[in-house]
Amino acid sequence: STGNQGKVLIKDSWSYLGRHQVQERSGELGEIAFLTKINQMVDEHPEFAGTVPRLEDGGIVRLDVNGHLAIDSVETVLGDLCRHLPKHSSDYAYTHVRLAMTPVGTRLRELRSVAELVVVISDALQAHKAVLDHCQILHRDISENNIMFTRSGNNIHGMLIDFDNAVDANAARNRSGPVCTGTLPFMSVNNLRKAKVARTAVDDMESILYLLIWLGVWGITTEHREQTRGKDRRVVNWSMDVETAIDSKRLTMSSESNLKDLLNEFYTPPVSELGSTSQAEDDGIIAAYDDLKDIIEEI
């Protein structure tokens, strides 16, 4: 919203960085390095401004340990206790990172219509493609919380955020070992299976498909979400556990009829009561969700 102008988002997180990745001189690790590269791309291609976060400042948090600055990591905090962890344990490989970014986005559930969702997802897809084409960065965590939007007057723009799970696309292409990363309901089947195939943009596009279905079933706006809360829907299986999610997604995508059965669970307004939303408005909402179904079927 316009009220977010001049504001900065502070992201304070513990990121899996690994001791071998620490670059003391530059301090650029993981998401910091990726956002720096992405921002350089935006400077060269200003048409993508606002579709990805701009890193205003940030870095690894450091602590004063006996008069010396030390990286704030699990390893630093545990000290000698790290010796009791398994030799190849990744438990100590989390490092405290703090980032300041703009613009401040708004969650998808604050959207007002299916039409706005289409615009926002389109912007996020264009950002994903630009980051992949120009920076060779694969996002790997397309989810409901990692696509946001900004609003300025009557204009709305989508934004792809959170590159904490991103990876160099060339490295991902050359690596076919088991990798499972992302947000459970939206992860591709190969990702969930830890299949020994390279992760590519196809996995992220599959995640977009699941995201659209998820939003269609549970509702796009906050009001629609309130009306579907606690309902029994098949997509619940996508967030249960890995094996249940795999089985459910495979079944859904195994035939056109199975997909249509799932799409039939899309949000519909409750039966109008006296003084509530008019029938014409209800019909408009139903038509909008039907349009979303058509988009998904075309995908």
Side-chain angles (χ1 to χ4, degrees):
S1 68
T2 55
N4 284 338
Q5 292 181 359
K7 293 183 178 180
V8 176
L9 173 70
I10 303 297
K11 179 179 178 180
D12 192 274
S13 63
W14 286 81
S15 297
Y16 178 77
L17 300 174
R19 288 185 297 181
H20 65 284
Q21 292 179 290
V22 172
Q23 301 171 25
E24 286 285 349
R25 187 170 59 181
S26 67
E28 292 187 353
L29 317 175
E31 188 170 23
I32 304 170
F34 286 139
L35 286 176
T36 299
K37 194 172 184 179
I38 290 169
N39 292 167
Q40 291 170 349
M41 180 273 291
V42 172
D43 291 340
E44 296 172 4
H45 301 274
E47 64 270 25
F48 297 112
T51 63
V52 287
R54 173 160 290 276
L55 180 64
E56 302 292 348
D57 204 350
I60 302 166
V61 177
R62 285 174 166 78
L63 302 173
D64 185 337
V65 179
N66 299 324
H68 299 282
L69 284 180
I71 292 175
D72 187 12
S73 64
V74 173
E75 186 177 13
T76 300
V77 173
L78 292 180
D80 289 342
L81 291 176
C82 282
R83 293 182 302 174
H84 301 287
L85 293 174
K87 183 177 180 181
H88 299 292
S89 174
S90 61
D91 293 341
Y92 58 72
Y94 286 86
T95 302
H96 191 184
V97 177
R98 189 173 293 139
L99 310 177
M101 297 175 287
T102 56
V104 177
T106 304
R107 298 177 304 172
L108 290 182
R109 65 181 59 189
E110 301 300 324
L111 290 169
R112 298 169 185 169
S113 66
V114 171
E116 287 192 345
L117 173 66
V118 172
V119 172
V120 168
I121 295 297
S122 175
D123 284 349
L125 283 172
Q126 290 182 56
H128 183 280
K129 185 177 187 303
V131 168
L132 185 61
D133 290 347
H134 296 289
C135 306
Q136 289 74 54
I137 296 171
L138 184 63
H139 190 277
R140 297 201 309 171
D141 192 11
I142 301 295
S143 69
E144 181 180 9
N145 293 326
N146 288 342
I147 296 177
M148 304 189 85
F149 72 92
T150 58
R151 190 187 299 277
S152 178
N154 294 325
N155 296 320
I156 190 168
H157 299 285
M159 180 168 59
L160 181 64
I161 67 166
D162 197 348
F163 288 81
D164 205 26
N165 283 318
V167 68
D168 179 274
N170 294 321
R173 239 179 259 119
N174 295 327
R175 183 171 59 209
S176 59
V179 176
C180 184
T181 185
T183 304
L184 185 57
F186 314 108
M187 292 165 66
S188 70
V189 171
N190 274 340
N191 188 9
L192 288 167
R193 291 177 54 238
K194 295 185 180 180
K196 292 183 179 180
V197 294
R199 290 287 305 280
T200 70
V202 174
D203 293 279
D204 282 359
M205 294 305 100
E206 188 177 336
S207 294
I208 286 283
L209 175 62
Y210 297 140
L211 173 60
L212 290 174
I213 293 173
W214 183 270
L215 294 172
V217 169
W218 295 124
I220 293 166
T221 69
T222 299
E223 179 185 0
H224 297 173
R225 289 293 185 92
E226 289 296 324
Q227 293 166 357
T228 58
R229 181 179 294 177
K231 299 288 187 180
D232 183 19
R233 297 290 186 264
R234 294 177 219 197
V235 293
V236 169
N237 293 324
W238 296 359
S239 58
M240 297 286 284
D241 57 71
V242 170
E243 291 303 321
T244 303
I246 291 172
D247 291 342
S248 178
K249 288 177 177 178
R250 277 180 163 172
L251 180 62
T252 297
M253 301 302 171
S254 64
S255 70
E256 184 178 349
S257 62
N258 285 348
L259 177 60
K260 284 184 178 293
D261 286 344
L262 179 59
L263 298 184
N264 286 334
E265 295 186 350
F266 264 33
Y267 170 84
T268 54
V271 178
S272 296
E273 299 175 357
L274 185 64
S276 68
T277 306
S278 69
Q279 185 61 50
E281 288 176 310
D282 283 351
D283 290 343
I285 293 171
I286 293 172
Y289 277 94
D290 284 343
D291 289 341
L292 182 57
K293 291 180 187 178
D294 293 340
I295 292 172
I296 291 170
E297 289 181 317
E298 287 179 11
I299 295 174

